[in-house]
Amino acid sequence: MKKNNVVYNVVNVVFLLTSILLVNYVGIFYMDFSAIELIVLIIAFLFLHLLKFIRIYFILLEEKIPFKRIVKLYIKTTFVSIVLPFKIGELFKMYSYGKEINSYSKGIVAVIIEKFFDAVVLVLILIPFGIIKGEGISTLSILLLVFVILFIVVYFSFEGTYNYLNRFFIAKSQSKKTLVVLNVLNKLKNVYDKAKELSRERNILLISLTAIIWFVETMFVYIMSNFMNMQINFMVVVNYISDAFFGINNVLFNNYIYLCTAIFLVVIIFIYVRKAFKEGSILWKK
């Protein structure tokens, strides 16, 4: 087995086992929903994640990842991302996609693009609604707006800045420091080119798909709130999104996590047990 495959397997085991150990199993079993309500929530949940899967599939479309493979990647990375605190799971997601397409920079860029479109849609919804409802602009909205502005500024100014700096440092004496700076610039240019490649001609599709995703997630929150006899309004949805972002306990978001971990954990166990049986049968035949 190649060394890089050993490292990949070790990283997978560490992240997956850590996530499995951190699952709040008590919370899963104490979800207070009837059988019918649970079925409705599961259907809504699966539809929501089908849309999210389609989005990352379109982002990585040109990488030609086998369909079954990208489904497995989505399931395990989403499970880890939801369970682990402080967005640590996003690092695993970047690593996993990067390893699969043999380009870690593309893996990082793919996840950043996904988050960028989330931020754009949320900014376009949260800020106007907050002002209209007289609730003001939330901390989350400000942070997302800053992220969107920085991303856009860097994206549209990078090429000109890169060309200027590249010419400037090439014109200087070729000292070791200059060569290091030029090497860093070239790596940043490589990341920039990959960002353009992954989002090329798909911006309208991705922004539309992301808007649908957040509409479905909002409906999911409304349905869950209704089942829990909670009064639902704009601020409840904002708090759900904000608490999810900052990792703060929230009864709605907690139930979302319980539902997500239960479904994905069952699927992950099924995938790996099936894989173990398949590999075992091959060895047995040998």
Side-chain angles (χ1 to χ4, degrees), residues 35-215:
I36 297 297
E37 289 173 345
L38 202 55
I39 290 171
V40 171
L41 289 175
I42 290 173
I43 291 172
F45 173 87
L46 292 176
F47 181 60
L48 171 62
H49 280 277
L50 173 63
L51 293 172
K52 290 186 176 184
F53 167 76
I54 291 172
R55 181 175 61 179
I56 194 65
Y57 180 78
F58 273 118
I59 292 173
L60 297 172
L61 187 62
E62 292 178 1
E63 303 307 316
K64 296 180 171 59
I65 304 174
F67 185 76
K68 286 185 178 180
R69 182 63 186 159
I70 196 171
V71 169
K72 291 178 182 178
L73 281 171
Y74 178 81
I75 290 171
K76 72 178 182 181
T77 56
T78 303
F79 171 73
V80 170
S81 181
I82 288 175
V83 175
L84 294 186
F86 311 117
K87 302 298 180 181
I88 296 173
E90 298 301 319
L91 299 177
F92 178 65
K93 186 181 291 185
M94 292 174 180
Y95 172 79
S96 297
Y97 286 125
K99 175 67 171 63
E100 186 63 32
I101 60 182
N102 200 29
S103 173
Y104 292 113
S105 57
K106 274 192 177 181
I108 294 169
V109 168
V111 175
I112 291 175
I113 288 173
E114 188 181 39
K115 299 307 173 189
F116 170 74
F117 283 104
D118 275 334
V120 169
V121 170
L122 287 175
V123 164
L124 292 175
I125 294 173
L126 295 181
I127 292 179
F129 268 86
I131 295 172
I132 292 170
K133 294 288 184 179
E135 303 289 349
I137 302 175
S138 65
T139 303
L140 175 62
S141 299
I142 295 171
L143 290 175
L144 292 175
L145 181 60
V146 170
F147 169 68
V148 169
I149 292 172
L150 285 176
F151 187 96
I152 292 173
V153 169
V154 171
Y155 186 84
F156 285 103
S157 65
F158 179 85
E159 205 151 13
T161 304
Y162 166 80
N163 290 332
Y164 168 76
L165 291 175
N166 200 46
R167 288 194 303 269
F168 175 78
F169 283 106
I170 288 175
K172 291 188 68 174
S173 61
Q174 295 297 301
S175 64
K176 287 185 178 180
K177 289 183 179 179
T178 302
L179 292 175
V180 169
V181 172
L182 287 171
N183 186 44
V184 171
L185 283 173
N186 285 331
K187 287 183 178 180
L188 291 173
K189 180 65 163 60
N190 187 42
V191 172
Y192 172 78
D193 289 339
K194 286 172 180 176
K196 287 182 69 175
E197 181 184 341
L198 289 176
S199 62
R200 185 177 54 203
E201 299 175 354
R202 276 166 275 185
N203 291 331
I204 300 299
L205 174 64
L206 291 174
I207 196 79
S208 300
L209 192 53
T210 302
I212 295 171
I213 286 169
W214 280 106
F215 173 77

Side-chain angles (χ1 to χ4, degrees), residues 2-39:
K2 294 180 180 179
K3 184 179 179 181
N4 59 348
N5 286 334
V6 172
V7 172
Y8 176 72
N9 289 332
V10 169
V11 171
N12 271 263
V13 169
V14 169
F15 273 93
L16 285 170
L17 280 182
T18 302
S19 300
I20 289 170
L21 291 173
L22 289 177
V23 171
N24 186 344
Y25 296 98
V26 175
I28 293 173
F29 288 105
Y30 276 87
M31 283 193 296
D32 190 20
F33 298 111
S34 68
I36 297 297
E37 289 173 345
L38 202 55
I39 290 171

